[in-house]
Amino acid sequence: MADGIELRPFDPGRIGEIVAVWNAAAGRAFPLREALFRQNTVLDPHFDPAGASLACDAVTGRVVGCGLAKVAREPVGADGLLADRGWISFVAVHPSHRRRGIGTALVRAGETFLRARERPKAVLGADPAHFFPGVPDGTAAAPFFEAAGYTLRGEAYDLSRSLDGYRTPETVTAARAANPEIEVRPLASGEDGALLEFLDATFPGRWRYTMGRFLQNGGPIGDVMGVVRGRAVHGFAMLFHPGSRWIGPSIAWAASDGGAPAAGGLGPMGVAPELRGRRLGHVLLDRAIVHLASLGVREMVIDWTILLVFYGALGFVPCRRYRHGERPL
């Protein structure tokens, strides 16, 4: 690593400096708010300060870089503790200090943390309370991590569309008419148990864990669009809007200036196997769009998906691309 730079332990009192370094490095594409940083680090049950390192100027003490590694510290639903992996959540280095070995030193510090916890591989992003589902495409991150020994493969996308002038497609209207026993609407008070019962049966891993944590922390059940038949939930979509208490991944990078369109998003979403093939997925997506538009959302994002054709049918197009990356330890 560069002379005059030291790796120091994480200090929560320096979060403002860390956020400033991130925004100097990547703020144009991924503008980081302090609230999001806190949510995904010190407020995340998987955060261990021992997995975070600060790169600091040895003379001034100024933060010039930061890296974070994580392991699961509580079961992620039915997926358990995911002992087969740990995560490199992010690495950020101030542009004025790049190409001096700081980023590589931060990655190696994260890998040391993961080895000490007996994790056999390091995965880039995709951790619970993640910033990224992988390595952002079109940035210096991909060649940097490849040079650090990581294999990049596959792809995932964030999708977006404007909600201005949105009209429900005729195919969706027909699907609603063909399923009169199905309601697709925001869930109401008292339906938490039915939602969790559905998730336990159908999506018992990360999605069940994420939704359970959301509700336990006071997330409103009305921010979940449900596919309901009788008293049972058969599908769901987690929604985010400008008033959301939780900064979901779909709205993580929404511009914060007052002139930006109001941002909202969706994800995850899913429908019970027995109801698939009836276009209810598109009905669920359509009702989510209409609901978010009623809350003032003008730009909507679907995060971390490969379903380009499904979402494209309602006008969503890719806005960001990611690659999966990992390295055996």
Side-chain angles (χ1 to χ4, degrees):
M1 192 169 64
D3 291 339
I5 302 296
E6 299 175 345
L7 289 190
R8 298 180 180 176
F10 177 78
D11 179 353
R14 310 195 73 175
I15 286 176
E17 293 179 71
I18 298 168
V19 171
V21 167
W22 175 303
N23 284 326
R28 175 170 290 185
F30 302 99
L32 181 63
R33 292 164 277 175
E34 187 169 316
L36 175 62
F37 184 85
R38 289 184 179 277
Q39 174 187 284
N40 288 4
T41 58
V42 294
L43 299 178
D44 175 26
H46 304 285
F47 175 77
D48 182 342
S53 299
L54 302 181
C56 299
D57 185 291
V59 176
T60 66
R62 183 169 66 96
V63 176
V64 298
C66 183
L68 174 63
K70 290 182 183 178
V71 299
R73 301 180 72 198
E74 64 182 23
V76 183
D79 294 337
L81 290 172
L82 295 166
D84 66 330
R85 76 198 71 176
W87 300 279
I88 301 294
S89 185
F90 75 88
V91 172
V93 177
H94 195 283
S96 64
H97 285 72
R98 286 178 179 162
R99 301 187 182 279
R100 299 171 62 184
I102 297 172
T104 300
L106 290 167
V107 171
R108 300 306 180 221
E111 292 171 349
T112 298
F113 170 82
L114 299 181
R115 286 194 189 95
R117 285 146 187 84
E118 301 182 338
R119 292 319 198 257
K121 68 179 176 184
V123 174
L124 301 176
D127 46 297
H130 64 281
F131 290 100
F132 304 108
V135 179
D137 199 27
T139 70
F144 166 77
F145 280 111
E146 286 180 321
Y150 285 79
T151 299
L152 304 186
R153 57 180 173 80
E155 55 192 24
Y157 297 88
D158 292 344
L159 313 178
S160 68
R161 66 153 293 155
S162 168
L163 300 193
D164 291 345
Y166 175 78
R167 297 290 183 271
T168 298
E170 291 183 4
T171 53
V172 172
T173 301
R176 292 180 68 191
N179 294 277
E181 79 285 9
I182 300 292
E183 292 183 272
V184 181
R185 55 167 174 78
L187 294 179
S189 177
E191 293 186 308
D192 310 46
L195 170 63
L196 296 178
E197 184 177 343
F198 160 73
L199 292 168
D200 283 333
T202 312
F203 301 108
R206 181 169 178 149
W207 289 5
R208 167 59 173 85
Y209 171 78
T210 299
M211 187 58 63
R213 187 165 171 248
F214 172 76
L215 295 172
Q216 288 170 6
N217 284 276
I221 189 68
D223 281 353
V224 182
M225 187 68 63
V227 177
V228 182
R229 180 166 60 187
R231 296 184 177 181
V233 172
H234 295 274
F236 83 113
M238 193 173 186
L239 306 184
F240 300 95
H241 51 83
S244 293
R245 297 174 56 181
W246 184 285
I247 305 172
S250 57
I251 60 171
W253 313 121
S256 58
D257 61 275
L266 176 154
M269 68 171 280
V271 175
E274 64 270 19
L275 293 184
R276 293 172 192 167
R278 296 164 64 172
R279 292 189 177 273
L280 289 171
H282 280 146
V283 173
L284 179 58
L285 179 58
D286 168 79
R287 292 297 89 192
I289 292 171
V290 171
H291 181 66
L292 288 175
S294 76
L295 298 177
V297 169
R298 292 179 53 206
E299 292 287 334
M300 182 174 169
V301 172
I302 311 292
D303 71 281
W304 191 354
T305 185
I306 60 172
L307 303 178
L308 303 188
V309 174
F310 173 81
Y311 289 109
L314 269 66
F316 288 88
V317 297
C319 59
R320 287 180 288 266
R321 179 175 178 260
Y322 305 91
R323 305 286 304 283
H324 174 80
E326 64 179 59
R327 179 175 187 251
L329 298 177

